[in-house]
Amino acid sequence: MSKKVTIRDIAKESGVSTTTVSRLLNHVEGYCSKETEQRVWNAIERLNYHPSKIARSLVTQRTNLIGVIFPDIYNSFFQDLFRGVEEYASKLGYQLILCNTDGSSKKERDYLLNLAENLTDGIIISTSNGEDDNTTIVDLHKRGFPIVTVERYGEELKDVPRILFANREAEEQVVNYLYRCGHRRIAYISGPPTATNAIRRLEGFKNGLKQNGLSADNSLIMTGNYKMESGQDCMRKILDACMHKGGKPDFSAVIAGNDLMAIGACKTILERGLRIPDDISVVGCDGTMLADLIRPKIGTIRLGGIDMGKKAAEYLINEIRSQNTEEKKVLFQPELLLEGRIKSIET
């Protein structure tokens, strides 16, 4: 095995001190002539030297690593979010460490503390898709550790940079669109009752009904957990409770709290021999590729996961570099992808 090249070898090869080599590697200017500098870089190239990131981090107190904590890396929205973070951060020389909590508050806290313990320069953390405990996040931020949250709520986070989505408004707009298309009986599959974004989406759905003079029917509202299987199960229960004797549903559309549950609902609808959107129009939320994979395509609400990820990375790197932005919160607005995916009903 060949001997690992060190800065001592570079110093000896170029006839300078190890201090001079170290300063050049860390881009500290003004300590040697251009001629000497070129001699050192030539030696580095000849010896094929690759600096130790660990050693460099001890000098700079930076690792150029960013921690990313998500509750479910199989969820397409979080995949889009990660892609956005990576696209922005990699251009500025940062690499990512991805952590999956499976919605566990203990795993989330352990990841936060471990990543903050000299391992990363900052952390991006999204909602846990459950009842969020923001204590550790607030403590880290108060200690000056750079941290940005995505789709995470709580008054205690008011001073922490946050990337949020207009959840209520999104579902209100969907109900308004469905109403204009003639739909009067609309089912809803909600996300977990402990998840703030799920609560707000359900509120938006009920607000939309009220704005159009419709009443919420509890037999048409079920609670899932943002996973595909729960969408299947909830749709099954709704169909069992709300079918005419002729085998047709007594509702014409269903909205799901995310795209995964919407796909699950589609599976149940098709298994029952019903057609989409002729018998039931389906709308999800996330705007991921899943809504385009099923045929015919289903409606969805685009959150802009990639753009949210880029904005989260921008905010975090500004925090890392002490380039604080005045705004602590960005609220992303919905984009409805419904045209050509919803059946119009004559009223």
Side-chain angles (χ1 to χ4, degrees):
M1 181 181 289
S2 60
K3 178 177 176 290
K4 182 177 176 64
V5 178
T6 67
I7 63 170
R8 290 187 178 87
D9 299 318
I10 301 300
K12 182 178 179 181
E13 178 75 11
S14 55
V16 300
S17 67
T18 55
T19 301
T20 298
V21 176
S22 177
R23 284 170 174 165
L24 284 174
L25 289 172
N26 288 294
H27 306 289
V28 179
E29 299 179 354
Y31 284 93
C32 62
S33 67
K34 291 294 182 183
E35 180 184 348
T36 300
E37 182 178 331
Q38 188 59 53
R39 196 163 69 246
V40 172
W41 289 120
N42 289 343
I44 288 171
E45 185 175 352
R46 283 197 304 275
L47 296 178
N48 195 26
Y49 172 71
H50 298 285
S52 164
K53 289 186 176 180
I54 296 175
R56 177 174 288 182
S57 70
L58 292 174
V59 175
T60 64
Q61 296 298 300
R62 296 279 174 84
T63 63
N64 275 29
L65 294 174
I66 289 173
V68 180
I69 303 176
F70 291 157
D72 182 8
I73 59 174
Y74 293 105
N75 186 310
S76 294
F77 169 70
F78 293 111
Q79 292 171 13
D80 281 355
L81 198 60
F82 183 83
R83 180 180 164 191
V85 174
E86 197 277 333
E87 281 186 15
Y88 187 94
S90 64
K91 291 177 181 177
L92 296 176
Y94 290 87
Q95 294 180 312
L96 308 184
I97 297 176
L98 176 60
C99 303
N100 180 60
T101 69
D102 291 318
S104 164
S105 56
K106 182 183 183 304
K107 286 178 72 174
E108 183 180 271
R109 181 176 181 276
D110 289 344
Y111 279 135
L112 279 167
L113 294 176
N114 288 332
L115 291 173
E117 191 68 31
N118 300 320
L119 188 58
T120 62
D121 294 339
I123 295 172
I124 293 171
I125 180 169
S126 191
T127 173
S128 66
N129 276 347
E131 195 167 3
D132 292 330
D133 179 359
N134 296 318
T135 306
T136 305
I137 293 173
V138 173
D139 287 345
L140 288 172
H141 186 260
K142 284 182 178 177
R143 283 160 42 191
F145 184 81
I147 191 163
V148 171
T149 66
V150 179
E151 265 300 275
R152 202 165 178 119
Y153 296 83
E155 180 60 26
E156 64 276 12
L157 293 174
K158 65 181 184 300
D159 295 324
V160 180
R162 291 177 291 164
I163 312 299
L164 303 173
F165 178 72
N167 293 289
R168 287 194 194 93
E169 294 83 349
E171 299 292 20
E172 288 174 7
Q173 291 176 25
V174 172
V175 175
N176 289 335
Y177 185 92
L178 290 174
Y179 186 86
R180 291 195 299 272
C181 290
H183 296 270
R184 299 295 183 264
R185 293 269 293 166
I186 305 169
Y188 192 81
I189 301 174
S190 176
T194 52
T196 302
N197 56 8
I199 294 170
R200 293 189 176 196
R201 289 173 190 177
L202 179 57
E203 289 173 349
F205 168 71
K206 291 180 177 179
N207 289 345
L209 293 177
K210 188 175 182 180
Q211 290 166 12
N212 290 285
L214 304 176
S215 299
D217 183 342
N218 289 332
S219 66
L220 291 176
I221 300 175
M222 290 287 166
T223 300
N225 62 6
Y226 279 152
K227 296 184 183 297
M228 186 186 301
E229 293 76 14
S230 72
Q232 288 178 266
D233 186 52
C234 288
M235 191 74 259
R236 194 175 297 120
K237 291 176 181 176
I238 293 172
L239 287 172
D240 287 343
C242 302
M243 294 291 286
H244 288 302
K245 290 183 179 180
K248 294 295 183 181
D250 71 351
F251 61 97
S252 58
V254 59
I255 303 170
N258 75 343
D259 284 346
L260 273 175
M261 292 194 299
I263 296 299
C266 288
K267 291 185 69 175
T268 295
I269 291 169
L270 296 173
E271 286 170 1
R272 295 291 180 96
L274 298 169
R275 298 166 299 168
I276 301 169
D278 293 339
D279 295 317
I280 302 176
S281 294
V282 181
V283 181
C285 182
D286 284 343
T288 64
M289 64 179 179
L290 292 177
D292 291 337
L293 290 179
I294 194 165
R295 290 292 182 271
K297 295 177 180 179
I298 62 171
T300 188
I301 307 164
R302 178 173 288 159
L303 275 68
I306 293 176
D307 290 334
M308 291 175 78
K310 289 179 180 178
K311 182 59 69 174
E314 177 189 340
Y315 266 37
L316 183 68
I317 292 171
N318 284 343
E319 290 276 314
I320 291 170
R321 297 178 175 181
S322 300
Q323 298 170 345
N324 294 333
T325 53
E326 291 184 8
E327 291 293 328
K328 288 293 184 183
K329 181 174 75 172
V330 174
L331 183 64
F332 276 73
Q333 297 299 320
E335 179 186 353
L336 304 188
L337 301 180
L338 303 176
E339 293 291 338
R341 306 182 185 206
I342 304 298
K343 181 181 179 180
S344 291
I345 301 173
E346 292 186 7
T347 56

